[in-house]
Amino acid sequence: MTLEISAKEAVAEGVVALTLVHPAGARLPDWTPGSHIEVVLPDRTVRHYSLCGSRWDAYTYRVAVLREPYGRGGSALVHDTLRPGDRVGVGGPRNHFPLVPSETYLFIAGGIGITPLLPMVQQAELLGAEWQLLYGGRTRASMAFLEELTAAYGERVHIAPQDEVGLLDLGSWLGAPRLDTKVYCCGPAPLLTAVEAACAHWPAYTLRTERFTAAEQAAPVRDVPFEVELRRTGRVVTVTPDVSVLDAVRSVGVDVLSSCEQGTCGTCLTPVLEGSPDHRDSILADHERVANTCMFPCVSRSLDDRLVLDL
């Protein structure tokens, strides 16, 4: 669908928020906390941004974009070129970071990682759950939506600007496991790694994370070709070590929608009917990997000689 930028505002140093609406004023697709959309920029590149507005506003989407000086150019285009009245293509919403029921939540955000957590805080508050937000950033001025959060929620929002207090004190927050608490974290890779290490002794499936960049992966389990059967078409394709499953499938004429091709956006999610994937994405939780009911063919491979996909 094509949406129009109705507003653009600076919400922190290096961060702008875009409000998107349907050009004809139509209702937008519903979404749930943790969802993101795919935005097709004027140069045809695609970027993924978490929805950070109110899910109860059926007519607007809000996203926030951090200027990344060493990025691929998408954030610079958003900051320097896009203006209210411009139109962009939008795909989704999609949600690979859903908020599951819990009595208590601990939300941990680093920098622009606050964006998917904003609707989660709103949802937890609406449901009457207990929650705390630990929010770190380089400086107060660089932390988006800071005033909005503190004005609405007061002491439940714990601010930790690095230039004032150093790195987030994860030990004091995550030292003692709590059976009734789910932990949600989004932010830069070092923060996610530190939170994963701090939660290693917590109950299984307590922690959910979302990454903006792909996690480092070890080498694939197999370095020999394997076969992929496409059940719906009856085609069988051989995947060699130098070709992704996605590219191999496309080579026989089966088009699979994809975007990032790094295992972070979730666009190419594909059902697995038989076989065990070598999961190499940065999206699936541990129990989802064990289930082996789906995979992301842009990066994941196979543990077996043959995989059967619902394609």
Side-chain angles (χ1 to χ4, degrees), residues 31 51-62 119 122 148:
W31 56 282
L51 289 169
C52 59
S54 170
R55 61 174 298 211
W56 305 111
D57 181 348
Y59 296 93
T60 66
Y61 287 160
R62 182 176 70 167
Q122 296 168 4
E148 175 182 321

Side-chain angles (χ1 to χ4, degrees), residues 6-300:
S6 65
K8 176 181 179 181
E9 62 176 324
V11 292
E13 288 182 354
V15 182
V16 295
L18 303 179
T19 302
L20 305 173
V21 299
H22 193 282
R27 181 187 179 102
L28 301 180
D30 293 337
W31 56 282
T32 53
S35 296
H36 71 270
I37 56 174
E38 298 144 6
V39 177
V40 184
L41 299 174
D43 64 355
R44 308 305 299 169
T45 59
V46 179
R47 296 293 183 267
H48 302 85
Y49 301 119
S50 298
L51 289 169
C52 59
S54 170
R55 61 174 298 211
W56 305 111
D57 181 348
Y59 296 93
T60 66
Y61 287 160
R62 182 176 70 167
V63 298
V65 181
L66 170 69
R67 180 188 285 275
E68 300 183 54
Y70 304 105
R72 295 175 291 168
S75 66
L77 193 156
V78 171
H79 278 252
D80 299 336
T81 304
L82 291 184
R83 297 289 183 269
D86 290 344
R87 296 183 179 185
V88 293
V90 172
R94 309 177 193 278
N95 196 344
H96 299 290
F97 190 43
L99 185 69
V100 300
S102 180
E103 296 179 19
T104 306
Y105 297 98
L106 175 59
F107 301 111
I108 304 175
I112 198 63
I114 190 62
T115 52
L117 301 184
L118 282 176
M120 294 188 181
V121 166
Q122 296 168 4
Q123 184 75 1
E125 181 74 1
L126 180 67
L127 296 174
E130 295 294 327
W131 62 269
Q132 301 280 325
L133 169 64
L134 180 59
Y135 183 12
R138 291 182 294 104
T139 65
R140 287 180 183 269
S142 71
M143 297 167 69
F145 309 113
L146 189 57
E147 292 184 4
E148 175 182 321
L149 282 164
T150 54
Y153 304 115
E155 294 182 354
R156 281 179 292 176
V157 179
H158 305 271
I159 306 302
Q162 187 174 346
D163 65 337
E164 297 178 22
V165 300
L167 297 176
L168 294 174
D169 184 9
L170 298 178
S172 64
W173 288 90
L174 299 171
R178 299 190 291 276
L179 299 178
D180 64 344
T181 300
K182 298 294 185 186
V183 180
Y184 279 78
C185 179
C186 185
L191 172 63
L192 298 180
T193 299
V195 171
E196 288 169 349
C199 286
H201 61 298
W202 282 55
Y205 315 133
T206 292
L207 173 65
R208 287 295 303 242
T209 62
E210 182 169 64
R211 293 180 177 272
F212 294 133
T213 58
E216 292 187 10
Q217 301 282 351
V221 173
R222 295 170 60 98
D223 60 358
V224 295
F226 57 92
E227 291 184 339
V228 171
E229 177 186 337
L230 311 178
R231 178 60 55 86
R232 284 191 241 165
T233 65
R235 301 291 297 271
V236 176
V237 60
T238 298
V239 182
T240 56
D242 59 332
V243 174
S244 70
V245 174
L246 180 65
D247 286 341
V249 168
R250 286 175 168 171
S251 73
V252 295
V254 177
D255 187 27
V256 178
L257 184 66
S258 68
S259 180
C260 74
E261 300 194 5
Q262 298 179 345
T264 59
C265 75
T267 305
C268 66
L269 180 69
T270 300
V272 176
L273 302 178
E274 296 178 24
S276 298
D278 176 9
H279 295 291
R280 303 179 59 74
D281 61 273
S282 301
I283 301 172
L284 295 178
D286 290 343
H287 67 284
E288 294 170 317
R289 294 171 185 266
V290 171
N292 282 334
T293 58
C294 62
M295 67 179 287
F296 296 97
C298 64
V299 292
S300 297

